[in-house]
Amino acid sequence: MMFPMMHHQGMGPPKPQANHQECLLVGTVNIEQSRQLHARLEGLSDRPPEHDECFKTFYTMKSPNNTVKLALVRKERPTDHRVEQNMLLEYLGTIDTQVHEKLAVRTVVRSYVNANTNPQKFLTDLGFKHDYEAVLRGKRYRYKKIEIAIRKVLKVTKPGDMKSTVDIQSSQSLVEMTMPATLVAGNDPNIAEMLTLAETLRSIVRLEKYDPTRMKEK
């Protein structure tokens, strides 16, 4: 799925569209484990962690054979905690659990839009329906080609208001480990490094292959 580029005049050239596949491992940590994980990753990472807070509005389009989910993403600036007007249109494809026995693979498409456009109308005109809104808040670490995000997931109870949130995971934080996939017949030379890092962190967080079937049962 590809999206048209929508950019703001006077803001310079539009940012490039990102379309790739990524390997994925997921897990959760409680408050104490989260502190330990942050400390461990600060020592392992190649650079300081990035403030990672965003406001996501999810849209879905259902058909007899498939459900497509998109998200409009607005980032919060770490300097003054104001929400940026420019937005990101994000598509996370169906999770493929058959490519590799120990991790999942998904297709990711991201395209930048801004406040001078009306992406909400664009999506509804295509047949998408507003689903829900959420705030994701935490930090993102980088180790070589691997990214590890530790974030709280807060569901928005009043549409459009980032302050009207409820913590849907209580004391838990979501942990996602991702890496660009260059899979050829399930064989990627970087996968071993990703799995080794996950094993290194195992005493703090159990990072596992994402199983959408199991998640639906919970």
Side-chain angles (χ1 to χ4, degrees):
M1 177 175 290
M2 300 299 292
F3 309 121
M5 281 304 254
M6 293 175 280
H7 59 91
H8 175 53
Q9 293 181 353
M11 295 292 289
K15 297 180 181 179
Q17 199 171 56
N19 183 358
H20 66 278
Q21 285 191 317
E22 64 182 16
C23 302
L24 172 68
L25 292 171
V26 297
T28 58
V29 289
N30 60 32
I31 295 173
E32 179 57 33
Q33 291 169 329
S34 178
R35 293 194 190 101
Q36 296 175 21
L37 186 57
H38 281 293
R40 178 73 67 85
L41 291 174
E42 284 175 4
L44 289 173
S45 297
D46 300 326
R47 66 194 77 171
E50 300 174 17
H51 172 81
D52 187 14
E53 181 159 358
C54 61
F55 177 58
K56 289 193 175 188
T57 304
F58 291 91
Y59 294 83
T60 56
M61 179 192 292
K62 295 183 179 181
S63 67
N65 301 319
N66 192 23
T67 297
V68 178
K69 178 171 285 190
L70 300 176
L72 280 174
V73 184
R74 285 185 288 166
K75 293 283 187 179
E76 182 182 271
R77 295 196 300 241
T79 51
D80 55 14
H81 300 288
R82 295 182 61 185
V83 177
E84 295 179 354
Q85 291 302 306
N86 287 346
M87 290 175 281
L88 187 70
L89 186 59
E90 179 180 77
Y91 165 72
L92 300 179
T94 304
I95 303 291
D96 188 344
T97 60
Q98 305 301 314
V99 176
H100 195 279
E101 62 177 353
K102 292 186 177 180
L103 48 77
V105 176
R106 67 182 176 192
T107 299
V108 179
V109 181
R110 295 185 176 100
S111 180
Y112 287 89
V113 297
N114 66 54
N116 278 10
T117 64
N118 189 342
Q120 295 90 343
K121 184 178 184 304
F122 169 70
L123 291 176
T124 54
D125 287 347
L126 285 177
F128 285 91
K129 292 186 178 180
H130 179 275
D131 195 353
Y132 66 95
E133 298 175 353
V135 173
L136 281 72
R137 180 178 299 137
K139 290 184 178 180
R140 185 181 300 272
Y141 298 86
R142 298 179 188 273
Y143 175 75
K144 297 184 179 179
K145 294 183 178 181
I146 304 167
E147 286 190 359
I148 305 100
I150 309 171
R151 297 179 293 194
K152 295 289 293 182
V153 180
L154 309 172
K155 189 170 183 179
V156 175
T157 56
K158 183 179 178 182
D161 184 359
M162 289 184 67
K163 296 181 180 180
S164 64
T165 59
V166 58
D167 191 344
I168 61 176
Q169 292 183 303
S170 185
S171 62
Q172 300 289 308
S173 291
L174 175 67
V175 182
E176 289 186 319
M177 180 182 288
T178 59
M179 180 186 70
T182 55
L183 295 165
V184 179
N187 184 23
D188 186 328
N190 296 310
I191 283 180
E193 189 165 38
M194 182 175 178
L195 294 174
T196 298
L197 179 59
E199 186 63 29
T200 301
L201 302 173
R202 193 177 182 84
S203 62
I204 304 173
V205 56
R206 189 182 181 93
L207 291 165
E208 298 179 313
K209 180 178 182 176
Y210 180 86
D211 186 342
T213 302
R214 188 176 64 186
M215 295 296 290
K216 288 178 182 178
E217 293 173 353
K218 291 184 177 182

